[in-house]
Amino acid sequence: MDSSTTNDPKMEQDCSHMVKELLPQVDQLVASGQLPAALDQLHALEKKTRAAADLWSTTQLLERIVDICAHAQEWVMLEQQVAAMAKKHAQLKQAITKMVQKAMTYLDQAAEPTRTELIDGLRKVTEGKMFVEVEYARLTRMRANIYEQQGQINKAADLLQEVQVETSMDRREKTDFILEQMRLCLAKRDFIRMAIISRKINQKYFEHEGTEDLKLRYFELMIQYDVHEENYLEVSRHYYAIYTMPSIKADASKWPSMLQNMVLYLVMAPYGNEQVDMLHRIQQDHNLETLPHSCQLVKIFTTMELTRWSVVEQNADKQVLRDRVIEHNVRVIAKYYLRATIQQLTRLLELSADEVETFISKAVVSGTIYARIDRPAGIVTFAQPREGEEQLNAWASDVNKLLSLVEKTTHLISKEEIVNKIARAI
């Protein structure tokens, strides 16, 4: 870590020669089983190096204290030593960082529950200190994993959400950490917080080389969230993002399911410009031809023809998809019919009269079609009435067309008469 970020004082005296002389003596004491005596000597010299602001010497001594305790399997002593050294007056911040990092390398050697207690102890040492915020985040993630293994998902999610990942962490590790927060929020079914956390990830980062694994995890998590929120257009976009990944497109066992899900959720999305545009773009994909059901779905929703639900239901047994098929049929009818009776519509849409009114009303509210229902007469009008000026312009256009036809007809008649006169004269 850069010393400019830790504000450590400048070195007043070089104590490295004393450290080099002491360490072999300490090793001899440890080998003979005199652990307390070895630690006492290290503590005495550490006090001098700390007062002299000798970073290298202080770091060497603190790391050796950690090594001695760990090699002796004295985990409680290790926790106590780290906590005590970190609280020393004018302790060098970089030395604390190195000491904590050294202690973390021995965590996997400790058995449970000692390992958990050591993690908790190190978390207390690093909590609230900016210069060890990365180590605190890593330790918190370890503790959250333990909670999750114990089945305490809520505790794991709450603990990990307390950590605010700052810029001092490597960007890949930071993204990985946020993805873990998102995953635990989903496991806890805290969808609101999950959506908030997901905004911390900039998707442009996934354009960098070596980020495909993170990109895949991100979109898989977003798919789970948007399926719950019924944002089907977003779900389809997520599947498209996965489908276009080089590793997925190159794997014949993976891309068909991605393309199939992309099509399914796209046709389940509400009708709109973006949905229609995406449908036509997918229709140009040659891989679609290898998936008959998906190809049929895309063709149905890109062709202005009535479709029977019985033809589509084999693709998915979903109420939402049935509604989209009916809405498609309503748009087709509104395009080709100026007026239709309710009885005609019930037959064309295969619905009851009440359902017909419901779907037409939804289409009108969404702005997809224009319609007016005359209940006493049982007639639905799809032709939108024109305003006065618009109607006059239409009439004027019709009159101009009529006059043009009359003029053209007169010209043709005159031409025929001249031809006949010439023929008789000959």
Side-chain angles (χ1 to χ4, degrees), residues 193-204:
R193 188 175 294 274
M194 191 273 183
I196 295 172
I197 294 174
S198 68
R199 297 191 187 102
K200 296 180 181 179
I201 293 182
N202 186 351
Q203 294 186 27
K204 290 184 178 179

Side-chain angles (χ1 to χ4, degrees), residues 10 38 78 85 94 113 154 171 213 217 237 247 253 260 285 305 332 335 363 366-367 387 413-415 417-418 426:
K10 293 183 178 180
L78 172 59
M85 292 296 103
Q94 292 187 68
N154 290 349
R171 191 170 185 183
D213 57 327
R217 283 175 55 198
R237 285 174 176 162
S247 60
S253 64
Q260 187 174 0
D285 194 328
E305 296 178 359
V332 172
K335 180 178 180 179
S366 65
E387 296 181 359
I413 292 172
S414 300
K415 182 179 178 181
E417 288 177 348
I418 294 171
I426 294 174

Side-chain angles (χ1 to χ4, degrees), residues 241-406:
I242 296 176
Y243 171 70
T244 54
M245 290 170 60
S247 60
I248 299 297
K249 272 217 165 183
D251 193 339
S253 64
K254 293 181 179 178
W255 68 258
S257 60
M258 296 297 110
L259 182 56
Q260 187 174 0
N261 288 326
M262 177 173 60
V263 170
L264 176 60
Y265 283 103
L266 183 58
V267 298
M268 288 170 59
Y271 176 81
N273 293 334
E274 294 182 11
Q275 188 242 18
V276 172
D277 178 65
M278 197 167 179
L279 271 174
H280 283 89
R281 281 192 286 119
I282 292 175
Q283 195 175 26
Q284 306 302 318
D285 194 328
H286 297 297
N287 288 334
L288 191 64
E289 298 173 1
T290 62
L291 304 173
H293 290 171
S294 298
C295 187
Q296 182 189 37
L297 272 179
V298 172
K299 185 177 180 180
I300 286 172
F301 283 89
T302 53
T303 306
M304 291 304 287
E305 296 178 359
L306 292 176
T307 302
R308 298 177 67 89
W309 167 242
S310 57
V311 176
V312 182
E313 63 180 340
Q314 59 182 329
N315 290 278
D317 185 15
K318 290 183 177 288
Q319 180 64 35
V320 175
L321 184 57
R322 177 178 177 272
D323 291 348
R324 296 295 177 259
V325 171
I326 296 172
E327 291 168 4
H328 169 77
N329 289 339
V330 169
R331 291 194 298 273
V332 172
I333 292 172
K335 180 178 180 179
Y336 293 114
Y337 283 77
L338 295 178
R339 291 195 309 169
T341 64
I342 295 294
Q343 291 181 347
Q344 282 179 303
L345 294 177
T346 56
R347 178 174 54 81
L348 293 172
L349 297 175
E350 299 178 337
L351 299 173
S352 65
D354 291 339
E355 288 177 318
V356 168
E357 287 192 12
T358 299
F359 279 98
I360 290 177
S361 300
K362 287 181 179 179
V364 171
V365 170
S366 65
T368 305
I369 66 169
Y370 173 87
R372 288 292 181 268
I373 301 175
D374 185 348
R375 281 185 172 174
I379 295 175
V380 179
T381 303
F382 296 104
Q384 189 169 358
R386 296 173 177 175
E387 296 181 359
E389 184 177 353
E390 186 178 0
Q391 186 65 53
L392 289 173
N393 290 336
W395 286 344
S397 175
D398 292 342
V399 170
N400 289 333
K401 288 180 182 179
L402 178 61
L403 293 175
S404 297
L405 288 173
V406 170

Side-chain angles (χ1 to χ4, degrees), residues 135-152:
E135 287 72 26
Y136 177 72
R138 292 169 181 167
L139 289 164
T140 303
R141 183 170 178 175
M142 293 179 189
R143 191 65 179 92
N145 288 338
I146 293 172
Y147 276 132
E148 186 178 10
Q149 291 169 7
Q150 295 172 348
Q152 303 181 60

Side-chain angles (χ1 to χ4, degrees), residues 19-196:
V19 173
K20 292 176 182 178
E21 291 175 3
L22 179 65
L23 291 182
Q25 301 174 18
V26 169
D27 292 339
Q28 292 178 0
L29 291 173
V30 173
S32 62
Q34 302 179 52
L35 189 62
L39 292 176
D40 287 341
Q41 291 196 22
L42 290 170
H43 289 161
L45 184 55
E46 183 274 335
K47 184 176 182 180
K48 294 180 182 179
T49 60
R50 174 164 37 93
D54 186 347
L55 176 62
W56 183 88
S57 299
T58 305
T59 300
Q60 292 295 313
L61 294 172
L62 293 182
E63 288 185 341
R64 184 55 61 91
I65 291 173
V66 172
D67 288 335
I68 290 172
C69 295
H71 292 155
Q73 301 287 305
E74 294 289 346
W75 304 114
V76 176
M77 182 183 293
L78 172 59
E79 180 184 342
Q80 293 172 349
Q81 290 292 325
V82 171
M85 292 296 103
K87 291 179 181 178
K88 292 292 184 179
H89 176 68
Q91 185 60 275
L92 302 176
K93 295 177 181 179
Q94 292 187 68
I96 295 175
T97 302
K98 295 292 185 182
M99 176 181 64
V100 171
Q101 291 174 350
K102 191 71 172 180
M104 289 174 64
T105 61
Y106 292 109
L107 286 174
D108 291 338
Q109 298 181 19
E112 295 293 352
T114 305
R115 179 175 178 272
T116 301
E117 294 171 357
L118 186 55
I119 291 173
D120 289 338
L122 291 175
R123 286 187 68 243
K124 289 179 182 178
V125 170
T126 55
E127 186 176 8
K129 297 181 176 67
M130 291 293 293
F131 56 92
V132 284
E133 63 178 354
V134 175
E135 287 72 26
Y136 177 72
R138 292 169 181 167
L139 289 164
T140 303
R141 183 170 178 175
M142 293 179 189
R143 191 65 179 92
N145 288 338
I146 293 172
Y147 276 132
E148 186 178 10
Q149 291 169 7
Q150 295 172 348
Q152 303 181 60
I153 300 296
N154 290 349
K155 276 190 175 182
D158 293 340
L159 182 66
L160 205 62
Q161 288 165 23
E162 294 175 0
V163 181
Q164 299 297 323
V165 185
E166 301 299 337
T167 54
S168 57
M169 184 179 285
D170 175 74
R171 191 170 185 183
R172 179 181 175 84
E173 186 179 2
K174 178 181 177 180
T175 304
D176 180 65
F177 194 92
I178 295 174
L179 289 173
E180 185 67 9
Q181 289 180 321
M182 291 169 59
R183 186 185 68 82
L184 286 176
C185 283
L186 280 178
K188 185 186 175 184
R189 302 191 68 77
D190 188 350
F191 296 100
I192 296 176
R193 188 175 294 274
M194 191 273 183
I196 295 172

